[in-house]
Amino acid sequence: MKKTLLTAATLLALGLAAPATAHDTDECADVACTQHWLYEGAGDSGGGDTTAATRYGTWGIDTAGMDRTASPGADFFGFANGNWAKNTPIPADQSSYGSFRVLRDLSEARVRALVEGHAPGDPATGGDGAKIAAVYRGFMDEAAIEQLGAAPLQPALARIRQADTHAELTALMGARDTFNVTLFGLGVSDDQRDPDRYTLYMNQSGLGLGDREMYLRDTFAPQRERYLAYIAQMLELGGWTDPKGSAEAVLALETRIAQAHWTRAESRDRDKTYNPVAFDAFAAYAPGFPWATYFAAAGVDHGDRAVVRQSTAIPKLAKIFAGTDVATLQAWQAFHAIDGAAPLLSSAFANAHFEFRDKFLSGQLEQRERWKRGVALVEASLGEAVGREYVALYFPADAKAKMDGLVANVKAAMGARLETLEWMSPATKAEARAKLAGFGLKIGHPEQWRDYSGLQVANGDVVGNALRSRAFEWDYRRARLGQPVDKAEWGMTPQTVNAYYNSVKNEIVFPAAILQPPFFDPDADPAVNYGAIGGVIGHEIIHGFDDQGRKSDGAGMLRDWWTADDAAKFEAQAARLGAQYEAYAFPQLPGMHINGRTAMGENIGDLGGLTIALEAYRRSLGGKPAPVIDGFSGEQRLFLGWAQVWRTLWRDDALRQQLVNGTHSPGHIRAFAPLRNIDAWYAAFGIKEGDPLYIAPEDRVRIW
């Protein structure tokens, strides 16, 4: 698989020829589409093995990683990161690599040390430590797993074979102690119309290739052909009857499902995705599916309704279910049960899963080391138990205080920007001020940790532990239906390298693991920190004011608080920004482009976030001139800090997957694309008309 070098990424993205001297799963983080993560894929592991954080240069920028021969106005990614891109290989067990992966390597190595420090014991009496040891050591006992072969699968497959009616298959789809697939994803989250209560959400589901486009576009015919072979391979490994014929039936079913699905862009639209349906109205709304059986099997029948996100897709999916024969539905369930369990099974299953899911689809050359997969399994099962130990060792108390100061400055800068917006009316500004004033902030880790005493874990039972963990987590969520929202809850563990904005809680959240170089270094030049973590803080704040976040108010309530004229002005600017991103070309992937509507919120977040981070940096100077360091002005250092955060290398297949399945623009695009709309960037680097990245002042997008 080819590595996409990015020293000339800017020019390639613009579809221009480089000069001879120049040298690249679900649309939201939660079921209600209210948590918006900074980055997709940050949970993937890398190849690091040290527990010490790395500093960048002497003042926060890896100047050796820059390419000073590149013109900032022609290839700003190359200027900021060119030598790094040229000299950095993508690890064989990765499909992409960059700043997020570097920090994930660090976090993973630290978690490994914690996990391996727990001695085996009785998980029933030994507390969280014994449970962590049982989950990890069970997975690491490769010889025992090999000896078991397909045996751990047989109970699940037997349940599927015994479910020989549509009603019995419905019950299997609702159960949460399986790896089965469902047409209708359920989740419990804060109610967008009643932010103090939990409600049940329903999403379209049922696809093994992630997005409808993978089934419907001619471009992806090779992926579908390989997927068909993979379905047959897994069914054969599981001992299913007629694996080839069953695979053809499964792919045909999923193609019909894909035709019913909404696009990712449609599924982002909050004006269309809040559709409450009473349980007793489902039979008329979406006939052909045994809804009462489904809700009872999922354990949510103590509720009274579900908020449907894709309103026109759900009835179509119910009709597809009713019109599909039992044998096909059983094969579909069997394949997904095998596929879901495969990473926990013997090498025949795990290798087949890797060869298709990671190597073929994403270009990853080698399977991750077993300990890395074991760490991921522990984190999925007992994430906050590990996080409690992580914080005690790796999150110094003063880090939170310094972040508090940075956030306060960036928030104040946003307030100042609001006052200067010429396109926004006083009425809408008043609502925006109220929303900004109500922003919550969580830094580092939760104050209250999850209680895992009810999670049953057994030594040596890898598949059983994973299934019980899934059921434990679902029971925790479903029990909250109709209950008051836990405002203190976190949507990420402290060891996660990411950040998010939650629109219903109207809060921004920064786990401990991201508060390290290159994002945040208390000893770095302040300009670099403002460009890096300051830009990230701004990005998350702006999510409250992006094309969808703006539809919730300061209390987290989904309501329209904009004048019609202001909304029209906003949408016109957003459309212009989307067109900019859609114009970027990827010559190594002909015909592939960023979907401007799907990535709109993230692109607005980057532009607005960096704009207010720049304003915050200027305010922090208190009227004094910024020092010059190594020949770089303060604002140059700020923009370099931003670009360094978005260092990214891609394998071609991984980049294709990001463009199809992701809601974020690729990282190497994020390094320079928002800068083209910021006047100060032009002044800082002498960008002038005629430079490939130049946009005339009247054509620059100015939203926040």
Side-chain angles (χ1 to χ4, degrees):
M1 301 294 176
K2 288 194 292 183
K3 165 186 170 182
T4 302
L5 284 173
L6 300 181
T7 43
T10 305
L11 295 172
L12 291 173
L14 288 166
L16 302 174
T21 56
H23 305 292
D24 153 54
T25 64
D26 212 8
E27 62 277 356
C28 299
D30 67 336
V31 72
C33 211
T34 60
Q35 288 182 19
H36 294 268
W37 293 5
L38 173 69
Y39 175 71
E40 288 164 308
D44 293 346
S45 306
D49 58 1
T50 176
T51 59
T54 300
R55 294 203 63 216
Y56 286 67
T58 57
W59 43 272
I61 292 293
D62 172 22
T63 53
M66 299 174 62
D67 180 0
R68 307 290 185 92
T69 68
S71 165
D75 184 7
F76 191 71
F77 181 93
F79 177 75
N81 300 307
N83 284 337
W84 170 85
K86 197 185 314 179
N87 298 314
T88 301
I90 300 175
D93 68 348
Q94 290 296 316
S95 58
S96 64
Y97 195 66
S99 296
F100 283 88
R101 294 296 200 271
V102 169
L103 274 193
R104 180 56 192 166
D105 289 351
L106 173 65
S107 182
E108 186 177 54
R110 289 172 169 178
V111 171
R112 179 191 189 183
L114 294 172
V115 166
E116 292 185 348
H118 288 290
D122 183 355
T125 60
D128 290 348
K131 291 178 180 178
I132 289 170
V135 172
Y136 182 73
R137 291 171 186 269
F139 182 80
M140 294 302 291
D141 191 350
E142 195 168 1
I145 292 173
E146 284 298 314
Q147 188 172 7
L148 287 171
L153 266 180
Q154 297 316 309
L157 296 180
R159 287 174 68 181
I160 294 169
R161 290 188 180 96
Q162 291 163 7
D164 56 4
T165 67
H166 280 74
E168 290 172 343
L169 283 164
T170 297
L172 272 184
M173 285 170 57
R176 293 305 178 101
D177 60 346
T178 72
F179 290 113
N180 294 342
V181 67
T182 177
L183 290 169
F184 312 103
L186 298 177
V188 177
S189 190
D190 311 18
D191 191 332
Q192 292 170 280
R193 297 281 190 191
D194 184 7
D196 293 327
R197 295 280 170 182
Y198 290 110
T199 196
L200 182 70
Y201 287 87
M202 178 180 291
N203 291 291
Q204 63 188 19
S205 189
L207 299 180
L209 280 177
D211 189 81
R212 70 191 300 274
E213 300 301 314
M214 299 292 289
Y215 296 84
L216 306 180
R217 285 173 55 181
D218 291 342
T219 308
F220 302 118
Q223 283 76 18
R224 292 193 294 274
E225 182 179 356
R226 181 65 180 83
Y227 183 48
L228 178 64
Y230 176 66
I231 297 171
Q233 179 185 19
M234 297 307 264
L235 289 174
E236 184 172 7
L237 285 172
W240 199 258
T241 303
D242 186 18
K244 186 176 184 299
S246 295
E248 291 172 349
V250 169
L251 181 57
L253 170 60
E254 292 193 3
T255 302
R256 295 194 297 275
I257 294 169
Q259 291 166 341
H261 271 210
W262 285 17
T263 66
R264 286 183 178 266
E266 290 170 327
S267 293
R268 290 188 66 249
D269 191 342
R270 294 189 193 169
D271 293 331
K272 299 177 180 177
T273 53
Y274 190 93
N275 306 285
V277 178
F279 282 174
D280 58 11
F282 265 90
Y285 160 63
F289 188 77
W291 291 106
T293 300
Y294 187 61
F295 293 131
V300 295
D301 49 341
H302 58 291
D304 59 1
R305 67 167 196 171
V307 176
V308 174
R309 296 200 58 244
Q310 296 90 3
S311 58
T312 59
I314 300 305
K316 293 177 183 178
L317 295 175
K319 185 176 181 180
I320 289 169
F321 176 82
T324 302
D325 62 277
V326 167
T328 295
L329 292 171
Q330 287 176 315
W332 177 60
Q333 289 290 346
F335 162 66
H336 283 283
I338 299 166
D339 185 43
L344 308 178
L345 298 172
S346 64
S347 57
F349 292 91
N351 291 344
H353 184 276
F354 163 75
E355 288 290 332
F356 176 70
R357 294 287 181 194
D358 301 315
K359 189 172 184 177
F360 176 78
L361 288 181
S362 296
Q364 184 176 318
L365 300 182
E366 295 179 2
Q367 178 75 284
R368 291 184 300 156
E369 291 180 72
R370 194 162 191 90
W371 71 262
K372 297 177 183 179
R373 290 176 278 152
V375 163
L377 183 61
V378 171
E379 295 219 59
S381 304
L382 295 123
E384 284 199 19
V386 174
R388 186 172 58 243
E389 299 177 352
Y390 178 95
V391 165
L393 289 174
Y394 298 115
F395 188 63
D398 65 339
K400 185 179 187 307
K402 291 175 179 176
M403 272 292 290
D404 282 338
L406 267 170
V407 172
N409 289 346
V410 176
K411 185 176 174 181
M414 178 62 180
R417 292 285 303 175
L418 283 174
E419 299 306 318
T420 63
L421 293 179
E422 296 180 357
W423 60 269
M424 181 176 278
S425 69
T428 306
K429 278 186 183 179
E431 291 272 13
R433 284 190 214 102
K435 181 165 189 176
L436 183 63
F439 258 65
L441 173 65
K442 292 173 180 172
I443 294 175
H445 59 88
E447 296 302 319
Q448 285 291 119
W449 300 97
R450 281 285 301 275
D451 177 7
Y452 292 99
S453 60
L455 174 61
Q456 295 181 11
V457 172
N459 288 317
D461 187 7
V462 179
V463 171
N465 288 340
L467 291 175
R468 285 187 292 272
S469 175
R470 288 164 66 98
F472 172 80
E473 186 64 27
W474 176 241
D475 286 345
Y476 176 75
R477 301 291 168 192
R478 69 180 182 83
R480 299 165 128 190
L481 270 181
Q483 298 300 308
V485 166
D486 178 2
K487 302 290 187 180
E489 183 180 38
W490 278 56
M492 286 180 177
T493 63
Q495 62 272 26
T496 300
V497 183
N498 217 321
Y500 70 90
Y501 169 72
N502 186 319
S503 62
V504 185
K505 290 186 173 72
N506 193 31
E507 65 180 7
I508 52 178
V509 182
F510 299 90
I514 200 172
L515 303 180
Q516 299 174 95
F519 294 88
F520 176 61
D521 181 351
D523 298 320
D525 166 54
V528 177
N529 275 335
Y530 272 99
I533 198 66
V536 170
I537 294 166
H539 173 102
E540 299 306 335
I541 289 175
I542 291 297
H543 266 317
F545 301 91
D546 68 21
D547 65 314
Q548 299 304 317
R550 72 180 186 85
K551 296 176 181 178
S552 298
D553 64 17
M557 177 79 71
L558 184 63
R559 73 174 178 88
D560 187 0
W561 48 268
W562 290 63
T563 68
D565 187 52
D566 288 344
K569 291 175 181 176
F570 176 96
E571 288 166 3
Q573 289 289 331
R576 291 176 60 210
L577 185 66
Q580 282 184 15
Y581 280 82
E582 288 181 344
Y584 297 132
F586 302 90
Q588 69 276 39
L589 300 173
M592 298 295 298
H593 294 275
I594 294 167
N595 185 319
R597 289 182 60 204
T598 300
M600 182 66 75
E602 301 303 330
N603 296 338
I604 292 173
D606 284 351
L607 173 56
L610 190 54
T611 299
I612 62 175
L614 174 62
E615 175 74 17
Y617 173 63
R618 289 171 171 172
R619 293 165 63 90
S620 76
L621 295 173
K624 298 178 181 178
V628 175
I629 301 177
D630 286 350
F632 293 101
S633 70
E635 294 191 0
Q636 285 178 326
R637 299 193 302 275
L638 180 143
F639 292 123
L640 289 171
W642 171 265
Q644 183 172 258
V645 160
W646 296 109
R647 286 179 163 184
T648 315
L649 298 170
W650 297 92
R651 301 194 195 279
D652 290 353
D653 291 322
L655 181 57
R656 180 187 293 108
Q657 288 295 305
Q658 178 64 25
L659 292 170
V660 175
N661 291 313
T663 58
H664 297 73
S665 295
H668 63 286
I669 301 294
R670 299 176 75 173
F672 72 87
L675 309 182
R676 303 178 67 209
N677 295 290
I678 299 176
D679 296 343
W681 176 70
Y682 290 82
F685 291 98
I687 313 299
K688 58 188 182 302
E689 188 172 1
D691 287 334
L693 293 181
Y694 180 85
I695 297 176
E698 64 272 18
D699 294 327
R700 294 170 197 166
V701 175
R702 308 175 194 276
I703 303 178
W704 296 111

